[in-house]
Amino acid sequence: MSFGDGGPDEGPGNGGTPDWEALADASAARARRKKWLLIGGGALATAAVAAVVATAVISANGGGEGTSAGRHASELPTGDDLPTELPAPEPSFSSVAPPPPPDPRDYIADVKKDRLPVDVDAFFPDDKLTAGGRTYARGATHRTKQCAATTQGALGAILTANGCDQVIRATYSRDGVAVTVGIAVFDTEAQAKRTAQLATGGLASLSGSGVPVFCRDGVICRRTANSYGRYAYFTVGGFTDGRNATKADKAVYTTGDDLTDYTFRRIRHRGEVQASAAADITTT
């Protein structure tokens, strides 16, 4: 039996010596093919996952449209899901206290604030007035800037010295008793108050319009002096038949008190009207 040299045509099956170099090349080729198969399979798997994710995103977004537009009607909130009542608003409170209401007296204490007309109708508008169930008829009225001319005795000089601007008078009578009320007008409350405190002599009675002359020529009558705001007001009252009045004559005192109270209320009302108007302007 003889052995050949192991040429190329001799393989293992032929009983010859193996071609080790050829075997090595074949093994390397097989390794390369396996490597490329693994790389290709990974790429395909990655592409498949990306396709699945993209499909899921498109489905969630309603076919690629915007989120709100693509939402199915079944996914929108129903009437049962919405609140049936709105929450009540929380109360809020200002930390700044509201200003106090205007004081009516402030509007009759100074000419700069007291802007209503100053005339007979402002203080004595009624042909008749009633107080305590008693009715008095208005007689003559009078208005003048010659303050001293409306007085008797020293009162005229006192009015002038304190800056009296004008005097408004009106007479009311009932059952043989007459009272003249005079309002002296000043620029300030201090002037009016000082005038009332210093008052001596008195107001001159005003007759006419059904009331005869009274409280003149030395006849004794009741006299009063008061002030409120920038107004000093005086009364002189007695009998229309010329008799002297005494402290026992209740009708003279009652008539004088009724007219004094009426005058005070008219002056105070003047302040209230102006204070109320100022409050309305402030609140609006």
Side-chain angles (χ1 to χ4, degrees):
M1 177 176 187
S2 61
F3 297 89
D5 292 337
D9 58 343
E10 295 181 347
N14 295 327
T17 301
D19 188 349
W20 299 111
E21 184 177 355
L23 292 174
D25 291 340
S27 176
R30 287 194 300 272
R32 285 194 296 272
R33 285 196 301 271
K34 184 177 181 180
K35 179 179 179 181
W36 283 113
L37 287 173
L38 291 174
I39 293 173
L44 290 173
T46 301
V49 171
V52 171
V53 172
T55 302
V57 170
I58 292 172
S59 299
N61 288 339
E65 297 180 0
T67 301
S68 299
R71 183 175 294 171
H72 295 294
S74 60
E75 297 176 354
L76 295 175
T78 64
D80 294 336
D81 298 326
L82 298 175
T84 57
E85 295 183 1
L86 295 176
E90 293 291 333
S92 60
F93 302 95
S94 174
S95 60
V96 180
D103 184 352
R105 187 163 183 165
D106 289 345
Y107 290 86
I108 54 172
D110 193 291
V111 67
K112 294 178 181 178
K113 280 191 172 183
D114 188 7
R115 308 308 299 169
L116 290 179
V118 179
D119 52 28
V120 171
D121 288 338
F123 298 100
F124 307 114
D126 304 314
D127 291 335
K128 294 183 179 180
L129 67 87
T130 300
R134 297 172 292 275
T135 300
Y136 301 93
R138 188 183 67 182
T141 61
H142 181 253
R143 174 174 176 258
T144 180
K145 288 185 172 294
Q146 304 298 318
C147 297
T150 65
T151 66
Q152 292 179 320
L155 182 59
I158 295 171
L159 291 175
T160 301
N162 285 285
C164 176
D165 177 69
Q166 59 181 298
V167 174
I168 301 170
R169 288 183 295 169
T171 297
Y172 289 85
S173 64
R174 177 177 182 266
D175 297 338
V177 174
V179 172
T180 296
V181 182
I183 299 176
V185 183
F186 298 87
D187 285 349
T188 68
E189 184 176 33
Q191 292 171 311
K193 185 175 182 179
R194 185 166 53 249
T195 298
Q197 291 173 338
L198 297 176
T200 57
L203 188 71
S205 63
L206 179 65
S207 58
S209 299
V211 179
V213 175
F214 67 103
C215 294
R216 295 292 184 104
D217 300 325
V219 174
I220 298 173
C221 290
R222 185 194 182 211
R223 302 179 187 275
T224 67
N226 296 277
S227 70
Y228 189 70
R230 68 187 187 105
Y231 303 95
Y233 53 102
F234 311 90
T235 67
V236 54
F239 295 106
T240 56
D241 61 5
R243 287 181 292 151
N244 291 329
T246 68
K247 291 183 179 180
D249 292 317
K250 184 179 179 180
V252 173
Y253 279 78
T254 298
T255 303
D257 291 344
D258 286 346
L259 269 295
T260 296
D261 181 65
Y262 172 80
T263 303
F264 165 77
R265 287 187 287 109
R266 290 300 305 172
I267 297 172
R268 184 180 63 185
H269 176 70
R270 180 184 182 89
E272 292 170 345
V273 169
Q274 295 180 92
S276 177
D280 290 342
I281 293 174
T282 301
T283 54
T284 56

